[in-house]
Amino acid sequence: MEQELISKKELLDVTGISYGQLYRWKRKDLIPEEWFIRKSTFTGQETFFPREKILTRIEQIKQLKDDLSLDELARRFSPDPAEIALSGEEMVRKGIVSEQSWRVYQLEHPNVAVCSFQETVFASVVHRALASGDVGLDEARSALRALEQSITVFSDLRVRIVCVRKLGVSVWVVQAADGQLVVDPDAKLVFEADVSECIEELKLKLM
Amino acid sequence: MQTEMGHDLHLSGHGSSTGGFYRNVHLEGLSTIDGDVVCEQCTAHGVARMHGNLRADMTAFHGKADVLGDMVTGSAEIHGTIRVSGVCDVAKILRIHGTSRLQGGVRADVLNIHGRTHVGAECVAREVELHGIAQFAQDIRAERMDCSGVLHLGGPCEAESFSCKGQVHSSGLINAERVHIRLHAKSEVQEIGCTELRVERGRGWFARRHKLVVDIIEGDHIYVENVVAKRIRGNRITLGNGVYAERVEYREELNRHHGAKVKEAVQV
């Protein structure tokens, strides 16, 4: 999973922010520590960032920082759970899940009327999987089961979920967000999603 | 704090107890407590050894204290030597005069330390005031950090305002809104990232020998004296006397004292 990188200097030129701002945002946890990638170059140690992620994040911060305090922004970007409880209809109305994917969720949990934060996140991951068009209804259901199993292993939601299919049989894998994954060349990586990204998106929709 | 039993525990001479719920705990002489203690007020004079956790509204130790578990308290005042093997969680002020080893990290509102201290894990506080020799093995996060003496940082340091009179040795990043360092003897820092940086030499006979050796400085407004740096990057940079920089990259302005040596300066 090689990603395109951007150097710190180039980042400042492109976005027009200053060193002080960058460090301030890092201090406030608006930019996660993992994005600071140190590499040695011929000019010594340099810091790089994942290009796509950092550019969209800085755009978001620049847009929102006039209306919100930095602490509030930090809460929004962090993958830590927020205090919410949503009913199915509300989630559909806010565009977190489609009706179809909410039905899939209900097949698995027939008695759930109001979702906690974590349940909402899982529902949105299911929705994402279904919306991608590469994953079938039954597969989406087993994705939900895989996610729910995984929370006993991982302490937080910084995980990725991946669907691998070979000869028509699909398997869901939940892995730590920074872990490497190599699949059998005959198998096909059908779907992948970063749960912390889903959370971010979810929080933007909620607030 | 809910302590249903209003009994006091008083140990003097060579005493020991298994712990429990108390209102006041007074330890004098050589005291050992083998279990957890929950109390409103804990005062110890002499040598105290606690094998469990300590939870108190107010804690005062005079002499030597050893807490092998966690110390959770409203405020703590310590004179003498203390060692806490677990987490040190103080709601208000943790004040230490003397030698301390806080192995499990510190969480406090105000941390006020005079003397020698070693913090073995993460330290989070609103205000940190250090006088003497302080050693932090891992991250430290504070709003205001004020130290005089010798500061050793094993991990990154994040603060809104960071000021230090004396020596700093840091193997990580010092990230603060404002950094002010008044040098004394030789300091070494790997990286400084800030909005405003001011590094000044100290006063005295050998002031010109005071040096700060640093890999990278990045900031908006930078004023440095007696700094040896590989890279200095910023908007407005002023290089004072005794600076040696391999490469300076500035955006708006570069002022250079005639006593500053720069190998390469570029405007970007």
PDB file of all heavy atoms in Angstrom, chain A residues 9-20:
ATOM      1  N   LYS A   9       8.043  21.011   3.295  1.00  0.00           N
ATOM      2  CA  LYS A   9       8.252  22.299   2.639  1.00  0.00           C
ATOM      3  C   LYS A   9       7.230  22.520   1.526  1.00  0.00           C
ATOM      4  O   LYS A   9       6.616  23.574   1.418  1.00  0.00           O
ATOM      5  CB  LYS A   9       9.668  22.319   2.046  1.00  0.00           C
ATOM      6  CG  LYS A   9      10.229  23.710   1.914  1.00  0.00           C
ATOM      7  CD  LYS A   9      11.513  23.711   1.139  1.00  0.00           C
ATOM      8  CE  LYS A   9      12.640  22.977   1.824  1.00  0.00           C
ATOM      9  NZ  LYS A   9      13.839  22.895   0.993  1.00  0.00           N
ATOM     10  N   GLU A  10       7.023  21.461   0.745  1.00  0.00           N
ATOM     11  CA  GLU A  10       6.081  21.561  -0.360  1.00  0.00           C
ATOM     12  C   GLU A  10       4.663  21.772   0.190  1.00  0.00           C
ATOM     13  O   GLU A  10       3.883  22.549  -0.350  1.00  0.00           O
ATOM     14  CB  GLU A  10       6.146  20.286  -1.193  1.00  0.00           C
ATOM     15  CG  GLU A  10       5.513  20.441  -2.549  1.00  0.00           C
ATOM     16  CD  GLU A  10       5.429  19.115  -3.295  1.00  0.00           C
ATOM     17  OE1 GLU A  10       6.189  18.187  -2.947  1.00  0.00           O
ATOM     18  OE2 GLU A  10       4.583  19.020  -4.195  1.00  0.00           O
ATOM     19  N   LEU A  11       4.376  21.082   1.281  1.00  0.00           N
ATOM     20  CA  LEU A  11       3.052  21.208   1.888  1.00  0.00           C
ATOM     21  C   LEU A  11       2.776  22.659   2.274  1.00  0.00           C
ATOM     22  O   LEU A  11       1.698  23.191   2.004  1.00  0.00           O
ATOM     23  CB  LEU A  11       2.973  20.310   3.127  1.00  0.00           C
ATOM     24  CG  LEU A  11       1.674  20.393   3.901  1.00  0.00           C
ATOM     25  CD1 LEU A  11       0.565  19.684   3.167  1.00  0.00           C
ATOM     26  CD2 LEU A  11       1.823  19.803   5.283  1.00  0.00           C
ATOM     27  N   LEU A  12       3.765  23.308   2.887  1.00  0.00           N
ATOM     28  CA  LEU A  12       3.570  24.686   3.311  1.00  0.00           C
ATOM     29  C   LEU A  12       3.386  25.598   2.108  1.00  0.00           C
ATOM     30  O   LEU A  12       2.586  26.526   2.135  1.00  0.00           O
ATOM     31  CB  LEU A  12       4.764  25.167   4.140  1.00  0.00           C
ATOM     32  CG  LEU A  12       5.023  24.455   5.461  1.00  0.00           C
ATOM     33  CD1 LEU A  12       6.016  25.230   6.284  1.00  0.00           C
ATOM     34  CD2 LEU A  12       3.766  24.250   6.260  1.00  0.00           C
ATOM     35  N   ASP A  13       4.137  25.311   1.023  1.00  0.00           N
ATOM     36  CA  ASP A  13       4.001  26.130  -0.184  1.00  0.00           C
ATOM     37  C   ASP A  13       2.617  25.974  -0.792  1.00  0.00           C
ATOM     38  O   ASP A  13       1.986  26.950  -1.183  1.00  0.00           O
ATOM     39  CB  ASP A  13       5.061  25.710  -1.217  1.00  0.00           C
ATOM     40  CG  ASP A  13       6.414  26.264  -0.848  1.00  0.00           C
ATOM     41  OD1 ASP A  13       6.436  27.208  -0.040  1.00  0.00           O
ATOM     42  OD2 ASP A  13       7.427  25.760  -1.363  1.00  0.00           O
ATOM     43  N   VAL A  14       2.164  24.728  -0.880  1.00  0.00           N
ATOM     44  CA  VAL A  14       0.897  24.452  -1.547  1.00  0.00           C
ATOM     45  C   VAL A  14      -0.275  25.028  -0.757  1.00  0.00           C
ATOM     46  O   VAL A  14      -1.177  25.647  -1.315  1.00  0.00           O
ATOM     47  CB  VAL A  14       0.723  22.924  -1.736  1.00  0.00           C
ATOM     48  CG1 VAL A  14      -0.673  22.611  -2.252  1.00  0.00           C
ATOM     49  CG2 VAL A  14       1.762  22.400  -2.708  1.00  0.00           C
ATOM     50  N   THR A  15      -0.243  24.837   0.559  1.00  0.00           N
ATOM     51  CA  THR A  15      -1.405  25.234   1.354  1.00  0.00           C
ATOM     52  C   THR A  15      -1.308  26.665   1.882  1.00  0.00           C
ATOM     53  O   THR A  15      -2.302  27.223   2.308  1.00  0.00           O
ATOM     54  CB  THR A  15      -1.577  24.298   2.552  1.00  0.00           C
ATOM     55  OG1 THR A  15      -0.358  24.322   3.304  1.00  0.00           O
ATOM     56  CG2 THR A  15      -1.866  22.884   2.115  1.00  0.00           C
ATOM     57  N   GLY A  16      -0.095  27.216   1.881  1.00  0.00           N
ATOM     58  CA  GLY A  16       0.064  28.585   2.354  1.00  0.00           C
ATOM     59  C   GLY A  16      -0.012  28.739   3.854  1.00  0.00           C
ATOM     60  O   GLY A  16      -0.262  29.828   4.362  1.00  0.00           O
ATOM     61  N   ILE A  17       0.188  27.666   4.600  1.00  0.00           N
ATOM     62  CA  ILE A  17       0.201  27.792   6.058  1.00  0.00           C
ATOM     63  C   ILE A  17       1.640  27.932   6.531  1.00  0.00           C
ATOM     64  O   ILE A  17       2.577  27.722   5.774  1.00  0.00           O
ATOM     65  CB  ILE A  17      -0.470  26.591   6.755  1.00  0.00           C
ATOM     66  CG1 ILE A  17       0.247  25.288   6.412  1.00  0.00           C
ATOM     67  CG2 ILE A  17      -1.936  26.516   6.410  1.00  0.00           C
ATOM     68  CD1 ILE A  17      -0.201  24.109   7.217  1.00  0.00           C
ATOM     69  N   SER A  18       1.795  28.318   7.794  1.00  0.00           N
ATOM     70  CA  SER A  18       3.147  28.535   8.306  1.00  0.00           C
ATOM     71  C   SER A  18       3.548  27.376   9.216  1.00  0.00           C
ATOM     72  O   SER A  18       2.717  26.554   9.590  1.00  0.00           O
ATOM     73  CB  SER A  18       3.211  29.846   9.076  1.00  0.00           C
ATOM     74  OG  SER A  18       2.500  29.714  10.284  1.00  0.00           O
ATOM     75  N   TYR A  19       4.824  27.342   9.544  1.00  0.00           N
ATOM     76  CA  TYR A  19       5.318  26.303  10.450  1.00  0.00           C
ATOM     77  C   TYR A  19       4.560  26.326  11.764  1.00  0.00           C
ATOM     78  O   TYR A  19       4.195  25.297  12.306  1.00  0.00           O
ATOM     79  CB  TYR A  19       6.807  26.507  10.731  1.00  0.00           C
ATOM     80  CG  TYR A  19       7.702  26.080   9.597  1.00  0.00           C
ATOM     81  CD1 TYR A  19       8.430  27.003   8.877  1.00  0.00           C
ATOM     82  CD2 TYR A  19       7.832  24.742   9.277  1.00  0.00           C
ATOM     83  CE1 TYR A  19       9.261  26.608   7.842  1.00  0.00           C
ATOM     84  CE2 TYR A  19       8.654  24.336   8.241  1.00  0.00           C
ATOM     85  CZ  TYR A  19       9.369  25.276   7.530  1.00  0.00           C
ATOM     86  OH  TYR A  19      10.180  24.873   6.508  1.00  0.00           O
ATOM     87  N   GLY A  20       4.353  27.549  12.264  1.00  0.00           N
ATOM     88  CA  GLY A  20       3.667  27.693  13.550  1.00  0.00           C
ATOM     89  C   GLY A  20       2.298  27.046  13.531  1.00  0.00           C
ATOM     90  O   GLY A  20       1.932  26.318  14.446  1.00  0.00           O
TER      91      GLY A  20
END
